């Protein structure tokens, strides 16, 4: 077991472990630590505790000191300098006509390096820009190209759920997301409804995926023939995944009656062989030019299918 503290930095949701040494460090303390980028100001998210050795990446760097008022003053000065650097860099980009969008600027705590984060559709030759910035700020300059998801993670915003974006508040890494997840959760395949602020598939599609996979396996398919608790035979007309209920259409002479039962009360007599619930199939092209079937109760327009193809390609 190894004693550690968990520290978070301003532009990250990820928690990094450090050696507390002999310091009495508590949650919400501010600390000064050494990282691969140099000396940094961090916020303690997890107080001193023991962790299994296999969960620790060695060598564990030590806490330099608990932050003082001078350190906090220095941090505030850096924040003001970042605003100035952002403005100057944006002017330089416009002067040189570079096809790049400046997203954020970050000073290392000791001012030894300034990082400029930007997005661009292609590669950008920014060597002259780096020279100009170095001559202005007299320190090391690093320009880092990021993707649209990283841009959204940095800037933050409000999702369609009305809550702050997951990537900005707690996600430490981006996990793969696919259109198959939206299908599994019976969501609309309209690209506008399953895409996040960044224009990619919503990260939250992954949050409940395992639950939906488990629940869907327990349900019969639309069109399956089942036996009800009363011994009647009926056809599955629909299901409610979360409630685990099944709507059964039972023929009673010339009439048809609709009943609803919990899935555990039913016995499947035969499976529907006509492609599950006879949803309309539409094809999208995946990475590599291959075609994949999209099953949906709603008919997608040609434009929506193209958007789905683009989303699938980006996620791959």
């Amino acid at each position: 077991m190894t004693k550690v503290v968990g520290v978070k930095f301003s532009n990250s949701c990820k928690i990094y472990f450090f050696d507390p040494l002999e310091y009495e460090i508590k949650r919400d303390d501010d600390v000064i630590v050494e990282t691969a980028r140099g000396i940094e100001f961090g916020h303690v998210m997890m107080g001193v505790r023991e962790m299994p050795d296999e969960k620790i990446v060695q060598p564990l760097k030590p806490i330099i000191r608990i932050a003082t008022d001078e350190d906090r003053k220095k941090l505030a000065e850096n924040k003001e300098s970042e605003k100035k650097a952002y403005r100057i860099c944006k002017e330089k980009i416009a002067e040189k006509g570079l096809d790049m969008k400046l997203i954020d600027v970050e000073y290392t705590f000791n001012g030894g390096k300034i990082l400029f984060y930007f997005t661009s559709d292609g590669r950008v030759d920014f060597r002259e820009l780096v020279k100009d910035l170095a001559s202005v700020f007299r320190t090391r300059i690093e320009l880092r190209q990021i993707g649209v998801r990283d841009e959204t993670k940095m800037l933050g915003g409000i999702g369609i759920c009305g809550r702050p974006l997951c990537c900005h508040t707690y996600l430490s890494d981006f996990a793969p997301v696919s259109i198959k997840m939206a299908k599994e959760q019976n969501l609309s395949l309209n690209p506008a409804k399953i895409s996040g602020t960044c224009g990619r598939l919503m990260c939250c599609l992954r949050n409940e995926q395992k639950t939906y996979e488990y629940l869907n396996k327990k349900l019969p398919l639309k069109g399956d023939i089942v036996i009800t608790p009363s011994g009647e035979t009926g056809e599955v007309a629909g299901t409610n995944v979360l409630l685990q209920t099944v709507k059964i259409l039972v023929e009673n002479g010339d009439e048809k009656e609709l009943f609803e039962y919990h899935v555990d009360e039913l016995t499947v007599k035969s499976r529907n062989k006509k492609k599950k619930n006879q949803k309309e199939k539409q094809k999208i092209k995946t990475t590599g030019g291959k075609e994949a079937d999209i099953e949906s109760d709603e008919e997608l327009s040609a434009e929506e299918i193209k958007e789905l193809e683009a989303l699938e390609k980006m996620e791959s």
Side-chain angles (χ1 to χ4, degrees):
M1 301 290 280
T2 306
K3 274 189 176 183
V4 299
V5 289
V7 178
K8 177 181 170 182
F9 301 101
S10 59
N11 276 349
S12 173
C13 295
K14 194 171 183 177
I15 294 176
Y16 298 86
F17 293 138
F18 290 88
D19 184 350
L21 298 179
E22 300 302 319
Y23 292 110
E24 293 183 5
I25 300 172
K26 306 181 296 296
R27 179 183 168 88
D28 290 330
D29 283 347
D30 295 321
V31 291
I32 306 299
V33 297
E34 183 182 357
T35 69
R37 300 196 315 180
I39 306 300
E40 294 284 359
F41 185 102
H43 186 73
V44 177
M45 302 299 294
M46 185 184 80
V48 179
R49 68 174 63 176
E50 291 190 341
M51 296 283 287
D53 293 336
E54 58 269 19
K55 290 189 176 182
I56 307 299
V57 179
Q58 299 290 353
L60 201 61
K61 293 194 174 183
I63 296 288
I64 295 176
R65 66 177 180 274
I66 296 175
T68 63
D69 289 339
E70 285 297 315
D71 292 326
R72 294 185 184 89
K73 183 180 177 182
K74 172 69 174 172
L75 181 68
E77 290 172 356
N78 285 347
K79 293 297 180 185
E80 289 301 315
S81 298
E82 286 169 2
K83 294 177 184 178
K84 179 182 176 183
Y86 182 92
R87 187 178 67 254
I88 292 173
C89 183
K90 205 161 186 181
E91 291 172 358
K92 297 286 184 184
I93 290 171
E95 286 174 12
K96 298 183 181 300
L98 295 174
D99 184 20
M100 56 193 291
K101 177 185 175 184
L102 185 63
I103 303 302
D104 197 14
V105 178
E106 184 182 359
Y107 267 69
T108 56
F109 181 71
N110 58 5
K113 184 196 290 186
I114 310 175
L115 294 96
F116 295 85
Y117 298 93
F118 72 94
T119 59
S120 177
D121 291 334
R123 297 191 59 158
V124 181
D125 184 359
F126 48 69
R127 287 174 292 184
E128 291 301 317
L129 176 62
V130 170
K131 289 178 184 177
D132 284 1
L133 294 173
S135 66
V136 172
F137 297 106
R138 302 292 179 181
T139 189
R140 288 178 60 196
I141 302 294
E142 181 178 331
L143 267 74
R144 189 173 294 178
Q145 187 169 356
I146 60 175
V148 289
R149 280 191 164 170
D150 293 300
E151 174 188 357
T152 307
K153 182 181 177 73
M154 282 186 172
L155 299 179
I158 302 296
I160 59 172
C161 58
R163 296 177 60 85
L165 298 176
C166 302
C167 59
H168 185 69
T169 51
Y170 74 89
L171 284 183
S172 57
D173 296 298
F174 292 113
V177 187
S178 68
I179 291 174
K180 181 183 175 183
M181 294 178 180
K183 289 165 57 182
E184 187 87 34
Q185 296 171 37
N186 202 27
L187 297 174
S188 168
L189 293 182
N190 183 332
K193 294 181 180 179
I194 58 175
S195 301
T197 306
C198 59
R200 302 289 176 85
L201 290 172
M202 293 188 293
C203 296
C204 58
L205 288 176
R206 193 174 184 84
N207 291 358
E208 298 175 350
Q209 178 61 15
K210 288 185 178 179
T211 301
Y212 273 92
E213 286 177 356
Y214 170 74
L215 293 175
N216 278 326
K217 283 179 182 177
K218 298 173 67 178
L219 292 171
L221 300 170
K222 189 175 179 181
D224 285 355
I225 305 300
V226 297
I227 301 173
T228 67
S230 60
E232 295 177 297
T233 300
E235 181 182 332
V236 175
T239 58
N240 186 311
V241 181
L242 297 179
L243 293 178
Q244 288 287 277
T245 56
V246 184
K247 289 182 179 178
I248 309 297
L249 201 60
V250 178
E251 291 189 11
N252 187 3
D254 294 334
E255 297 181 350
K256 290 185 178 181
E257 294 183 80
L258 191 65
F259 298 93
E260 189 171 33
Y261 298 95
H262 192 274
V263 67
D264 293 336
E265 299 178 280
L266 301 171
T267 303
V268 178
K269 184 176 180 182
S270 64
R271 295 287 185 182
N272 179 23
K273 296 179 180 179
K274 289 187 177 181
K275 191 54 184 174
K276 298 185 178 179
N277 57 359
Q278 299 179 333
K279 289 179 180 177
E280 182 172 349
K281 292 196 301 182
Q282 295 177 285
K283 292 182 179 293
I284 65 166
K285 287 186 178 178
T286 59
T287 307
K290 295 181 180 179
E291 289 189 331
D293 289 336
I294 287 272
E295 294 178 2
S296 177
D297 286 326
E298 55 186 318
E299 185 173 349
L300 302 176
S301 66
E303 185 179 346
E304 287 173 335
I305 291 175
K306 283 183 180 179
E307 288 183 46
L308 281 173
E309 287 177 3
L311 281 172
E312 186 77 9
K313 185 176 180 180
M314 287 188 290
E315 294 303 328
S316 300

